[in-house]
Amino acid sequence: MRFRLPQRFNLVSTILWGLRIVVAVLVLAGSWATLSSGKLTPDAWRELIVFGIAQGSVYGLIALGYTLVYGVLFMINFAHGDVFMTGAMTAFFVARNFGESGFINANPIVALLIIFAVSMLTSMLVAIVLERIAYRPLRRAPRLVPLITAIGASLFISNSIRGIYGEQSQSYPSVTALQGRLDLFGIPILKTQALVIASAIVLMIALVYFVERTRTGRAMRAVSEDKDVAALMGINVDRIIVTTFAVGGLLAGAAGVLYALVFNEVDWFMGFLPGIKAFTAAVLGGIGNIAGAMVGGLTLGVLESVGPFLLLGGANVPSPNQLRDVIAFTVLVLVLIFRPNGILGRSEPGR
Amino acid sequence: MSSQPAVHGQSGPPAAQTPAERVLELNGVHTYYGNIHALKGVTMDVAPGEIVTLIGSNGAGKSTTLRTISGIERAREGTVRLNGRDITKMPAHEVVALGVGHAPEGRRVFSRMSVAENLDLGAFRRSGPDVATDLARVYDLFPRLKERRTQKAGTLSGGEQQMLAIGRALMTQPSVLLLDEPSMGLSPILTEQIFKIISEINDQGTTVLLVEQNALMALNVAQRGYVLQTGKIILSDTAANLAANEQVRQAYLGEI
């Protein structure tokens, strides 16, 4: 007699279900152990969450650059992390100057605006040059070719900065106006983190407005759907592509300063890990999807900050924070197993 | 083939006008896809107010001809003239502004955008009050589009998407409208409707170059036609003559 399994019962889905259950059990057990041990006070949790949101906002801003470029070119711009780094590194010299002259504390708002402008414009310029020199000539090449160019460009930019600005880490001067805490609806938040979150919100709203409401934004959406037909509408596709890189660069430059304010240190290698994390965030949220990049960034930021303590804190792991990257990338793998198109991703036909 | 009225390489089809009066003029156009020689010296022209059809079997180069005219593909040899002006080397987004409206094969509407946004994109290079006039004209021709103007184009039916593709091309204010297989995938009733609208658009004064596999329908609405075979124009005559031509009837009208 032949034994037949029901049609919808197959090996892969069984393994996936098993995995789901194991993950759920581990998450619940770990969280329960941590929470019942009471090792962390509610205040500590709140700190972790707010820090996660701030960090996630930075990831989200960088992730937008990946997702915008992917949207129009279906290419991962692996040099984007270095675009971010270049802005922060260049603005450091302005910041140091302002710090030494005392201008940064005499007039913090103007000083910060100038620092932001320098960083954003530098990153934008690097992104534009990158597109013109490294990617545009390869527009019709097979898809693997620009990917390799991107990695090459990434090494080129980071090592150029290392050569120009030196190898040692630099720290941004502290801004007195940003010291201490801000009382937000009864929750005391570090002022730097409040600034990071607020700036990210403003930039994201500006971006959504730009993409949804302006003529250029509409052209960008048209190019991302169909380049040939966009050209038939009279849209200069090359110009829209370079604009996309420029917008991604502006956001990365802003993220660079925010990153420097939160983590204080900048160096030539600072683009690497945030770049990978932001790329992860973009994939997590659904690559090519603007809201997805923000959601992915925030999710990753909070997971990274809260996850290690929540899952491992109760298990007496010595310093769970060291395992943040492990947790973050485990989450990426899990999300991609269960939602291959990301949290907000739609299934793209073909391409 | 030698007994036919006009053969590849010769100029002066029956309805020929003086050069200045031609909206569109192709002279010995060669287009390649990589190493594939898709157009092998296409010569044809379209006069103001005409509907000219380009018929031929699958892979004959009909779409390539339109893509070469609108600048998506670039001719390696030969010239394309629009209202007497050489546009052979011009990029697609500039050709549009000079008056080529192209409704591409397979409709290719922007499916994630609304009907209204699609039509607005047709007028991307334009501004001023006549844009609104043209929009009213498109909504007049296609009342269905007006009803569905806030709907995402991807949710429209095939016939409605075709209407949108034509409407969007009209929004570029073309001096010649290129239509690539407007009947593709449509029911006979819808096809008839679309062809009726094409005649209507032409009656309103728009010159049309129509590419079709449905040769019978195309020859019905057109004044003149060209027959394209493996990248060459093999026949050129009035639509009535082509429809009566033995060779055409055998090859393209499904008669034995």
Side-chain angles (χ1 to χ4, degrees):
Chain A
M1 197 180 116
R2 270 212 346 236
F3 180 74
R4 281 181 59 201
L5 288 166
Q7 202 75 66
R8 59 201 174 82
F9 184 85
N10 65 50
L11 193 65
V12 173
S13 75
T14 314
I15 291 175
L16 285 182
W17 269 107
L19 199 57
R20 266 177 236 218
I21 292 165
V22 169
V23 169
V25 167
L26 281 179
V27 168
L28 287 176
S31 315
W32 194 76
T34 309
L35 292 175
S36 61
S37 75
K39 265 187 192 159
L40 286 138
T41 60
D43 276 358
W45 286 117
R46 198 198 54 227
E47 287 288 298
L48 285 176
I49 291 170
V50 174
F51 175 75
I53 293 173
Q55 174 175 256
S57 310
V58 175
Y59 292 157
L61 286 176
I62 309 172
L64 285 168
Y66 282 103
T67 237
L68 287 170
V69 166
Y70 184 86
V72 296
L73 283 182
F74 303 100
M75 180 203 111
I76 302 298
N77 174 17
F78 273 118
H80 190 62
D82 302 284
V83 169
F84 153 83
M85 175 275 293
T86 312
M89 278 300 280
T90 307
F92 159 74
F93 292 95
V94 179
R96 184 176 65 183
N97 198 295
F98 284 172
E100 282 166 359
S101 69
F103 181 61
I104 204 161
N105 287 320
N107 209 335
I109 294 176
V110 176
L112 279 174
L113 283 177
I114 293 174
I115 293 169
F116 267 105
V118 169
S119 180
M120 290 169 82
L121 292 176
T122 309
S123 289
M124 182 183 83
L125 207 70
V126 173
I128 290 172
V129 171
L130 183 68
E131 193 274 335
R132 284 309 305 256
I133 294 178
Y135 301 141
R136 189 176 296 187
L138 300 171
R139 199 59 51 77
R140 284 166 189 273
R143 286 180 62 180
L144 265 181
V145 176
L147 191 70
I148 292 164
T149 313
I151 293 168
S154 164
L155 291 172
F156 178 87
I157 297 172
S158 55
N159 284 291
S160 302
I161 294 294
R162 178 196 205 173
I164 298 168
Y165 294 157
E167 209 163 324
Q168 68 283 25
S169 287
Q170 313 274 12
S171 55
Y172 268 49
S174 61
V175 187
T176 322
L178 288 176
Q179 302 298 312
R181 287 169 186 273
L182 192 73
D183 192 64
L184 196 73
F185 309 116
I187 309 167
I189 294 179
L190 282 174
K191 280 184 185 164
T192 42
Q193 293 180 358
L195 175 73
V196 169
I197 296 168
S199 317
I201 290 172
V202 169
L203 287 166
M204 286 173 184
I205 290 173
L207 178 73
V208 170
Y209 178 84
F210 171 72
V211 171
E212 294 294 326
R213 291 276 178 273
T214 66
R215 192 176 116 99
T216 311
R218 179 179 289 167
M220 207 178 264
R221 283 183 289 143
V223 169
S224 94
E225 273 204 54
D226 192 328
K227 284 186 203 41
D228 279 352
V229 179
L232 289 179
M233 303 294 105
I235 295 166
N236 185 340
V237 174
D238 276 338
R239 186 180 298 165
I240 293 299
I241 289 173
V242 81
T243 307
T244 308
F245 273 84
V247 171
L250 283 173
L251 296 172
V257 176
L258 297 177
Y259 183 91
L261 288 175
V262 176
F263 297 97
N264 259 317
E265 276 191 346
V266 293
D267 60 40
W268 65 278
F269 199 63
M270 68 179 272
F272 181 72
L273 209 50
I276 300 272
K277 293 268 179 66
F279 167 60
T280 307
V283 174
L284 193 64
I287 188 105
N289 183 320
I290 289 176
M294 305 174 194
V295 170
L298 289 176
T299 310
L300 189 69
V302 173
L303 277 173
E304 240 187 67
S305 155
V306 176
F309 290 99
L310 185 63
L311 300 182
L312 305 172
N316 284 323
V317 174
S319 57
N321 201 27
Q322 299 285 332
L323 289 169
R324 47 192 288 182
D325 295 347
V326 175
I327 300 271
F329 287 104
T330 307
V331 168
L332 172 75
V333 172
L334 290 174
V335 167
L336 291 184
I337 287 175
F338 297 116
R339 279 193 70 89
N341 294 310
I343 299 171
L344 298 182
R346 55 187 159 236
S347 42
E348 292 283 343
R351 293 274 197 177
Chain B
M1 167 160 143
S2 56
S3 65
Q4 301 313 323
V7 180
H8 154 69
Q10 288 178 303
S11 59
Q17 323 245 339
T18 59
E21 277 178 85
R22 288 176 190 150
V23 180
L24 195 63
E25 211 180 340
L26 276 71
N27 212 321
V29 167
H30 291 256
T31 302
Y32 294 73
Y33 289 112
N35 287 324
I36 300 161
H37 197 170
L39 297 186
K40 302 168 182 165
V42 171
T43 298
M44 62 183 295
D45 58 71
V46 180
E50 278 189 308
I51 296 185
V52 171
T53 183
L54 185 60
I55 58 180
S57 52
N58 241 338
K62 306 186 298 290
S63 293
T64 309
T65 307
L66 296 193
R67 290 165 64 86
T68 305
I69 294 168
S70 58
I72 299 177
E73 306 299 336
R74 191 157 295 180
R76 207 178 280 185
E77 269 177 67
T79 55
V80 181
R81 286 177 180 281
L82 180 71
N83 295 316
R85 182 163 171 188
D86 190 345
I87 58 164
T88 320
K89 304 247 179 291
M90 206 174 268
H93 64 268
E94 284 171 27
V95 172
V96 193
L98 292 179
V100 173
H102 186 165
E105 185 179 11
R107 315 187 255 274
R108 290 168 76 170
V109 295
F110 296 110
S111 56
R112 301 202 290 262
M113 297 191 209
S114 71
V115 169
E117 276 187 303
N118 268 274
L119 293 174
D120 279 353
L121 275 168
F124 187 76
R125 298 287 287 252
R126 304 170 55 200
S127 57
D130 54 333
V131 174
T133 318
D134 281 354
L135 188 64
R137 177 190 172 201
V138 169
Y139 281 147
D140 240 28
L141 282 165
F142 306 107
R144 288 298 282 272
L145 294 184
K146 189 170 189 176
E147 285 165 32
R148 310 197 161 207
R149 61 183 181 276
T150 57
Q151 211 170 305
K152 291 257 183 292
T155 67
L156 300 179
S157 72
E160 289 162 349
Q161 290 192 5
Q162 186 59 59
M163 294 173 188
L164 181 55
I166 297 175
R168 188 177 63 180
L170 280 174
M171 290 302 291
T172 66
Q173 203 176 37
S175 51
V176 58
L177 177 65
L178 313 181
L179 299 178
D180 198 343
E181 303 269 7
S183 76
M184 191 164 85
L186 300 188
S187 71
I189 297 170
L190 264 174
T191 304
E192 205 155 313
Q193 201 184 335
I194 292 279
F195 273 88
K196 206 172 282 171
I197 294 170
I198 293 170
S199 296
E200 208 178 320
I201 291 169
N202 180 244
D203 289 341
Q204 292 175 357
T206 304
T207 308
V208 177
L209 174 56
L210 171 67
V211 155
E212 258 300 338
Q213 278 207 61
N214 190 338
L216 188 63
M217 289 294 274
L219 290 171
N220 257 333
V221 296
Q223 284 100 50
R224 288 192 302 126
Y226 291 86
V227 180
L228 194 62
Q229 198 176 66
T230 57
K232 288 178 186 155
I233 301 278
I234 55 160
L235 272 175
S236 144
D237 208 331
T238 63
N241 284 349
L242 284 179
N245 182 297
E246 215 35 55
Q247 197 186 346
V248 173
R249 297 189 75 86
Q250 277 181 18
Y252 307 108
L253 301 182
E255 288 186 11
I256 304 154

